[in-house]
Amino acid sequence: MSNDNHKTELTTLLNELMSDTDSKPLHPKNKLLLYSRYVLSKLAWHFTVATLSKTWVTENIDSIANNYIRRWLEVPISGTLSTVFLTNNKFGLSIYPPSVKFIQCQTVLRKALKFSPSESTNDLWKATSNHANIQYDAYNSTKEVLKDFRSGHENKLLKQLTSQGSFFCSVTKFALPQLNKVWSIAQSKLPKNIYNFTIRYINNSLPTRKNLNRWAISSNSDCSFCLSPETLLHIVAGCQFYLDRFTWRHNSVLNFLAHTLQTVDGSTLYADLNGFKSPSILTGDTYRPDLLLSCSNGSLYVAELTTAWL
């Protein structure tokens, strides 16, 4: 096959596989699972034997895959996929575009040539160690390729994307590492609409007035209630007009925690809610927390719940 044949077959194959996956009545997480475990593997042979450039793969193959991924997750063209391409413990979905698979295939091929017991094969590696292939010789394994790719997207979020990287910057700064797995597990169990909402929330691509103005859809970026700039932070926990709503949300979460912790054997629960003993009995009014749990083994757990952006 000529390289043109490979290119035509690649684009046709990917379009067919992604379209078939798209037509299935599946949750977005399962479509991504099919893409990650099946679709990419079907491209590996072409990526290994054809003389393709990384640029061509990025411009032609990645664009097809990314369009479907955006459709499944309802991420607009203005929303970055950098957060999606990160690992689960970085609040991503642990997937990657076809171009990364291509680099991995080239890395495996180059290593096979370099370390072959055949001298003739080794000579082939030396003869092809030119400007087109030297970038693949820099990697020692496919894991290094993936690590470098994700590191680049993390750096992009932290240092280049101001608005869409804001949530990610906050998460990496304040989130507890041991809770990252909890987020991934909880997110995977959400229904489709809420699942997609969390992804758009993380990359700040929800249709806030600030974003609509940035996207040239609306001429006004101010909140219709308090006239402050309507950013994501403002909607979630910053609008003075909705202070009662924030209090209700805070107390609803606190009420759920209190009723759940009431079942702990041999413990005494104090919560800053009607119907519960007040924590001020032990702490005084000045330093009263939202919740306090005294256990029979002498341990004392204090919780201060905030209506925060995160």
Side-chain angles (χ1 to χ4, degrees):
M1 292 175 67
S2 69
N3 288 327
D4 287 339
N5 291 143
H6 277 295
K7 289 178 179 179
T8 300
E9 189 167 327
L10 257 174
T11 53
T12 302
L13 176 63
L14 182 59
N15 269 313
E16 289 176 351
L17 292 173
M18 296 299 277
S19 177
D20 190 34
T21 303
D22 184 51
S23 66
K24 299 290 188 294
L26 298 172
H27 190 287
K29 67 176 181 181
N30 293 325
K31 290 183 178 181
L32 291 176
L33 197 62
L34 274 174
Y35 161 77
S36 182
R37 296 189 180 182
Y38 178 71
V39 174
L40 290 179
S41 66
K42 300 295 286 184
L43 307 178
W45 182 77
H46 291 280
F47 284 163
T48 303
V49 302
T51 305
L52 305 171
S53 71
K54 177 186 172 185
T55 301
W56 183 87
V57 173
T58 301
E59 292 180 350
N60 295 274
I61 305 302
D62 278 9
S63 61
I64 296 172
N66 289 349
N67 284 338
Y68 278 99
I69 291 172
R70 286 183 181 278
R71 183 186 304 175
W72 298 339
L73 300 177
E74 300 174 359
V75 176
I77 193 64
S78 54
T80 180
L81 289 180
S82 291
T83 54
V84 174
F85 291 141
L86 297 179
T87 55
N88 289 328
N89 64 355
K90 290 290 180 67
F91 300 90
L93 299 179
S94 291
I95 62 171
Y96 52 87
S99 58
V100 174
K101 185 69 174 179
F102 170 75
I103 298 173
Q104 288 180 324
C105 289
Q106 292 297 305
T107 299
V108 171
L109 174 63
R110 298 295 296 167
K111 292 300 174 186
L113 295 177
K114 183 177 182 179
F115 297 107
S116 171
S118 169
E119 289 187 12
S120 298
T121 305
N122 296 154
D123 291 338
L124 178 60
W125 172 78
K126 293 175 183 177
T128 56
S129 293
N130 51 37
H131 66 282
N133 293 315
I134 195 170
Q135 58 182 316
Y136 312 125
D137 293 336
Y139 297 109
N140 292 316
S141 67
T142 55
K143 289 184 177 179
E144 279 191 12
V145 175
L146 200 54
K147 183 178 179 180
D148 183 57
F149 166 75
R150 287 180 171 146
S151 176
H153 276 279
E154 186 173 340
N155 184 67
K156 183 180 179 182
L157 283 162
L158 289 172
K159 299 180 180 179
Q160 298 178 34
L161 297 177
T162 304
S163 63
Q164 295 178 336
S166 57
F167 180 90
F168 180 76
C169 292
S170 298
V171 166
T172 54
K173 184 176 181 180
F174 298 111
L176 298 175
Q178 60 267 35
L179 296 180
N180 290 0
K181 274 188 178 181
V182 177
W183 167 258
S184 177
I185 294 171
Q187 186 186 40
S188 68
K189 296 179 180 178
L190 295 172
K192 174 186 173 181
N193 60 329
I194 302 178
Y195 178 86
N196 286 349
F197 176 87
T198 62
I199 292 167
R200 293 189 63 184
Y201 179 88
I202 289 175
N203 68 22
N204 193 12
S205 60
L206 289 168
T208 63
R209 290 203 173 197
K210 186 77 172 178
N211 280 342
L212 291 175
N213 179 255
R214 185 181 293 116
W215 303 336
I217 296 175
S218 172
S219 59
N220 186 9
S221 63
D222 294 338
C223 173
S224 58
F225 296 104
C226 67
L227 303 182
S228 297
E230 190 184 83
T231 62
L232 183 59
L233 172 58
H234 180 80
I235 292 175
V236 174
C239 183
Q240 297 295 313
F241 189 86
Y242 277 103
L243 286 179
D244 289 342
R245 176 72 176 179
F246 299 149
T247 301
W248 170 84
R249 185 175 66 187
H250 171 278
N251 290 345
S252 295
V253 176
L254 183 59
N255 189 61
F256 172 79
L257 292 175
H259 279 92
T260 301
L261 293 174
Q262 257 187 333
T263 61
V264 178
D265 293 334
S267 65
T268 303
L269 179 74
Y270 303 85
D272 192 17
L273 290 168
N274 292 330
F276 291 91
K277 294 180 181 178
S278 173
S280 61
I281 296 173
L282 299 181
T283 64
D285 290 331
T286 304
Y287 300 105
R288 180 179 69 241
D290 283 323
L291 189 145
L292 193 150
L293 185 69
S294 176
C295 299
S296 56
N297 62 3
S299 299
L300 189 65
Y301 297 92
V302 179
E304 181 62 28
L305 181 66
T306 62
T307 307
W309 188 13
L310 306 183

